[in-house]
Amino acid sequence: MSTSVEYRKLDITINEIRLLRLLPASASPSDAPVQYMLEYHPLASPPPYTALSYHWGDKDDTVPILVGGDTFLATRNLENALRNLRTRDVTHVWADAICINQNDVVERGEQINRMGAIYQCAENVSAWLGDNVDVQNKVFPLMKRIHDTSPIRPKKKGPMVGKLIPWLQLLFDAENSRPVRIGEAGSTFYLEDRDDDDEVLQAMTEFFEIPYWKRVWIIQELAFGTDVQLLCGHKSIPFNYLAKTIELAENYGGIGDSEEDRSFDNVRQIKELRSKIEASIPVSLLEAMARSARAESSEIKDRLYSLLSLAFDGSRYVPVPSYLMSIPALCQRVSTQAMKTSLANIVIFCNMSGMVQEPTWIPNWLERGEWARRNRTKHLLFPEAEPNGRQCRCLCRCWKLYPNLHKWQAHGDTVPEYTIDGNVLRAKGQLLFKIRKVSSTLAEASLPDVEPPQPSKESPKTKTSNYYLFNQLYKLLTFADLTCVCENCFDDYHNLLIDFRYMFQAKKKAGLQQLAPTVSAWFEVNKAFDIFGRGLEDRAAHPKGLRDRYYFVKPHERAYDFGGNTIGALFAPLVHISAALGQPNRYLTDRIQTILGLGMRFATCGNRSLGWVDALARPGDWIGVLQGCSIPVVLRPREAGGWNLVGDAIVCGLMNFQYRDFSTDSYLDIH
């Protein structure tokens, strides 16, 4: 965009902003250039104005508009939005492309910290989506009907259109009878029989593919707006209608991690952040970055700068945003601030580009990275990432299966202790053991003609309990962590062990393939993966010793004599028969599929422990713990000395401060 508009410097002492005062439509023909007057107002007392949220569009496709008699070449999409607002009797508008002097790099940096306040102070926020007729006539009416009804039960059956929103197919699927609750109360809702079901599905797909939804700046624009309206052509709906539709999709659990779902996921994260802002729940910058990982921007630094106003600690990471600062300097600034909270913050974000690049301890915070890696950061960072389902019967909430930095304490109560010398991080920590073998990742297992690992010819050389290794395998594949000793939890945990055992035996392989094809594919590729002398499949399906344990009955009943036999001895065969004949446990398959989706490699370690390691890890790398880091790390020795940080690890026996020796003055130089 180019301009001949003369800008006066903003008075930062009164937080001055520029507003466009629109000349009435009657003052010029409908096809004449849009005309504005540029006004200056303190943000504390502006006239009622509309903050415009939009996608810039093609910067080479411009249309002239008049600003105070001067010509401004706006993108066609911006001009269409301004022309549309003129028909809605809007008098004052704030639009970043015009109200910020885009040729003044210093002013652009100064205005970043005011963006959140500008959208908060606006009378309303208008999100311009374009002129798509199908969105106006099909999508908006459907969202209104969804919003007006709370529980929804699908009725009509129709074909699937694309992969973007598979959950929507369930609205038209008469065979799926699960009720879906949206909100706390309401009446049952059935979609009417329509002849244009396919067209509605296609229109909804196109709605989430609108380029606007991929833009990173809209996250804070829509999150801060008190009254957000979605504009498409001459029709509009409140953002709450869209939020209710997203809630429906979440209840169905049909939002995938594929590239086609990127825009939908961005909208879902906007809804979550908007809910937090409305409830005055603080959002950290790292959480905002993880939630916006799929968003895009034309200026790479905006992937970070666009979130500063949204985060309560944004100014701590970047006190003075500047487009003149180099990307390496910006990334080091963010890294040093992140480490003051926890070293784990840099560990889970490092090497987002998919390769080990020095300095390895400074993540490229502007790299979008692989979705599997971003998915892992989401689960590690968010305290609320634990599942809503599977709660132990005593309701003590001790089944916390998702990985979470707020739960794991590999570092105990220690705080980070480190120094920085140029590009070298000297951190206090300990090397523990080497990685012996690593498996294929879920993505690799899905590739055609992938070569499975060959069975190991070595025999076990220690007397490690087979049941102990099986228990580790179960915990790692489900992230189960029995933190409660109550009887009900004790029973549930070990009953699931039995289900887990039978899941991978030959009789259930067909059921597993049908229920969870990705889980089945991963196990098929890695079935011969050596776990200390036995293959993974053999270790999972035939755990010696489990058949003699009767954990399905309560502890105080196990020894009760009944005709010479304990209750456990009488009923254990029935439990095993039921587990062997039924279908694979849906809860377990869902859990395993989630864990595999984190994109890590299964690994055996030098101390005969099992774990998950970063996808970049390889045999010969070391597992270590750093003081003040809640998760173990994977380190790779450098030929010239020192270590490269590869990524994070999840190892049985290390996640709850089982390693406690930080007394020695051992420091690791991480390059």
Side-chain angles (χ1 to χ4, degrees):
M1 278 180 280
S2 62
T3 176
S4 62
V5 177
E6 293 187 7
Y7 288 98
R8 172 174 67 78
K9 279 288 186 179
L10 294 172
D11 186 350
I12 61 175
T13 62
I14 60 172
N15 290 326
E16 195 173 43
I17 63 171
R18 300 184 185 96
L19 291 177
L20 295 170
R21 180 166 61 85
L22 177 61
L23 299 181
S26 58
S28 61
S30 59
D31 58 347
V34 179
Q35 298 186 50
Y36 280 93
M37 296 297 293
L38 201 59
E39 298 181 350
Y40 293 75
H41 298 276
L43 188 55
S45 57
Y49 67 93
T50 293
L52 180 62
S53 177
Y54 66 103
H55 176 252
W56 277 27
D58 186 355
K59 293 183 179 181
D60 295 327
D61 183 13
T62 59
V63 179
I65 65 174
L66 297 178
V67 180
D70 298 325
T71 300
F72 183 95
L73 294 180
T75 61
R76 187 172 298 277
N77 192 54
L78 172 57
E79 194 270 347
N80 288 339
L82 295 174
R83 191 178 293 276
N84 184 278
L85 289 177
R86 185 171 62 176
T87 65
R88 300 173 185 270
D89 297 327
V90 175
T91 58
H92 288 82
V93 176
W94 189 92
D96 62 346
I98 307 174
C99 295
I100 297 177
N101 185 354
Q102 300 297 325
N103 296 323
D104 188 340
V105 179
V106 176
E107 180 180 308
R108 286 171 56 198
E110 292 174 348
Q111 290 296 298
I112 287 174
N113 288 333
R114 295 192 183 93
M115 293 288 282
I118 289 173
Y119 280 85
Q120 277 184 313
C121 294
E123 185 178 45
N124 63 76
V125 174
S126 293
W128 173 247
L129 305 179
D131 294 304
N132 190 302
V133 176
D134 286 339
V135 170
Q136 299 177 57
N137 298 333
K138 296 183 174 65
V139 176
F140 280 7
L142 176 60
M143 288 184 177
K144 183 180 184 304
R145 296 171 60 212
I146 291 174
H147 175 269
D148 293 342
T149 310
S150 289
I152 294 182
R153 188 186 298 273
K155 179 180 179 181
K156 181 109 168 69
K157 185 176 181 180
M160 183 57 152
V161 179
K163 299 179 180 179
L164 180 68
I165 42 174
W167 58 270
L168 190 62
Q169 168 65 12
L170 299 175
L171 287 176
F172 300 90
D173 188 354
E175 298 175 357
N176 191 312
S177 59
R178 289 181 298 164
V180 179
R181 292 200 171 276
I182 301 179
E184 298 180 354
S187 59
T188 303
F189 171 65
Y190 294 90
L191 282 177
E192 300 173 358
D193 292 345
R194 297 165 58 101
D195 296 329
D196 61 347
D197 287 346
D198 295 352
E199 297 176 4
V200 173
L201 282 166
Q202 184 62 41
M204 185 69 84
T205 301
E206 293 174 358
F207 173 81
F208 288 107
E209 289 176 341
I210 293 174
Y212 172 84
W213 296 120
K214 301 177 183 179
R215 180 172 170 259
V216 69
W217 278 105
I218 70 170
I219 296 174
Q220 73 164 358
E221 294 168 1
L222 300 185
F224 279 124
T226 54
D227 177 17
V228 179
Q229 296 289 322
L230 305 182
L231 275 55
C232 187
H234 295 291
K235 294 188 178 181
S236 64
I237 60 170
F239 181 84
N240 290 342
Y241 288 17
L242 172 60
K244 211 58 168 291
T245 303
I246 295 171
E247 194 172 343
L248 166 65
E250 291 174 328
N251 288 344
Y252 266 117
I255 306 171
D257 290 336
S258 65
E259 191 68 17
E260 293 88 346
D261 293 318
R262 182 194 308 161
S263 298
F264 190 99
D265 185 71
N266 202 35
V267 182
R268 178 174 58 165
Q269 299 304 335
I270 292 172
K271 180 187 79 73
E272 293 297 328
L273 291 171
R274 180 174 169 81
S275 299
K276 286 196 167 190
I277 297 297
E278 290 178 341
S280 299
I281 300 174
V283 177
S284 71
L285 181 61
L286 296 185
E287 177 182 346
M289 292 173 67
R291 288 190 181 276
S292 63
R294 288 186 167 187
E296 299 173 352
S297 65
S298 56
E299 167 60 57
I300 189 170
K301 294 186 181 72
D302 284 344
R303 295 179 183 172
L304 175 63
Y305 290 166
S306 63
L307 305 171
L308 295 180
S309 296
L310 191 66
F312 73 89
D313 55 356
S315 60
R316 190 184 72 192
Y317 283 90
V318 187
V320 183
S322 173
Y323 287 98
L324 299 176
M325 183 184 293
S326 68
I327 291 178
L330 176 61
C331 290
Q332 182 160 352
R333 165 73 193 185
V334 175
S335 299
T336 54
Q337 291 300 316
M339 288 190 297
K340 292 179 180 179
T341 303
S342 172
L343 286 176
N345 290 333
I346 64 168
V347 172
I348 61 174
F349 279 98
C350 75
N351 304 318
M352 287 288 282
S353 61
M355 60 184 70
V356 179
Q357 295 178 317
E358 294 187 2
T360 56
W361 62 275
I362 300 179
N364 184 351
W365 300 98
L366 309 179
E367 175 67 45
R368 284 180 51 211
E370 302 167 308
W371 172 241
R373 187 179 297 271
R374 293 198 304 273
N375 195 33
R376 187 155 85 252
T377 64
K378 179 184 65 176
H379 288 302
L380 288 169
L381 282 173
F382 303 165
E384 69 274 19
E386 296 168 2
N388 294 323
R390 186 137 195 111
Q391 183 169 303
C392 67
R393 286 175 288 171
C394 64
L395 305 180
C396 66
R397 298 298 297 163
C398 56
W399 280 82
K400 298 180 179 180
L401 305 184
Y402 275 81
N404 195 278
L405 289 183
H406 304 270
K407 171 190 170 187
W408 285 335
Q409 299 293 324
H411 64 320
D413 57 358
T414 63
V415 296
E417 187 173 326
Y418 61 89
T419 59
I420 298 175
D421 183 10
N423 286 334
V424 179
L425 172 68
R426 199 161 190 265
K428 189 173 184 180
Q430 291 285 340
L431 295 175
L432 300 183
F433 38 76
K434 282 186 177 181
I435 297 174
R436 298 177 71 252
K437 296 179 182 295
V438 295
S439 72
S440 302
T441 64
L442 180 64
E444 292 169 346
S446 303
L447 296 175
D449 303 323
V450 62
E451 184 177 350
Q454 298 299 315
S456 174
K457 297 181 180 180
E458 65 180 75
S459 56
K461 299 179 181 180
T462 69
K463 297 182 180 180
T464 305
S465 164
N466 285 301
Y467 178 76
Y468 169 76
L469 290 175
F470 170 76
N471 199 40
Q472 283 194 60
L473 182 63
Y474 167 70
K475 285 185 176 182
L476 285 168
L477 287 172
T478 61
F479 279 140
D481 183 14
L482 189 62
T483 58
C484 177
V485 295
C486 68
E487 296 174 2
N488 289 327
C489 293
F490 193 76
D491 295 340
D492 284 346
Y493 179 82
H494 291 283
N495 283 340
L496 283 174
L497 281 180
I498 296 174
D499 284 336
F500 178 74
R501 167 191 177 181
Y502 285 105
M503 181 183 297
F504 306 108
Q505 294 187 349
K507 294 179 181 179
K508 286 199 175 183
K509 277 190 174 181
L512 182 62
Q513 168 67 30
Q514 183 178 6
L515 187 62
T518 54
V519 173
S520 178
W522 187 86
F523 271 97
E524 186 63 27
V525 168
N526 293 289
K527 62 182 180 182
F529 178 75
D530 176 62
I531 302 181
F532 306 113
R534 294 174 61 189
L536 185 149
E537 183 180 62
D538 183 45
R539 185 73 72 178
H542 306 287
K544 297 178 181 179
L546 181 64
R547 62 179 179 274
D548 298 324
R549 299 172 183 266
Y550 309 124
Y551 291 118
F552 66 97
V553 294
K554 297 181 179 180
H556 67 273
E557 295 174 339
R558 292 196 185 105
Y560 182 77
D561 184 76
F562 186 81
N565 294 294
T566 64
I567 292 180
L570 286 172
F571 288 94
L574 299 180
V575 172
H576 284 273
I577 292 173
S578 174
L581 297 179
Q583 288 294 312
N585 187 305
R586 181 61 179 264
Y587 168 73
L588 285 178
T589 56
D590 288 347
R591 294 296 314 124
I592 295 173
Q593 188 161 313
T594 298
I595 305 311
L596 294 178
L598 301 182
M600 304 181 80
R601 297 185 186 276
F602 196 76
T604 57
C605 303
N607 68 334
R608 297 189 65 79
S609 289
L610 307 179
W612 291 105
V613 294
D614 190 276
L616 298 176
R618 62 193 185 199
D621 290 345
W622 283 77
I623 299 292
V625 290
L626 301 178
Q627 184 169 308
C629 184
S630 60
I631 50 177
V633 297
V634 180
L635 297 170
R636 182 170 298 164
R638 301 170 72 246
E639 292 183 2
W643 302 87
N644 281 334
L645 177 61
V646 177
D648 55 326
I650 303 166
V651 182
C652 280
L654 288 184
M655 308 311 295
N656 294 304
F657 200 35
Q658 289 93 334
Y659 180 82
R660 300 172 181 269
D661 186 14
F662 282 110
S663 58
T664 59
D665 293 331
S666 176
Y667 286 85
L668 303 172
D669 291 337
I670 302 175
H671 295 257

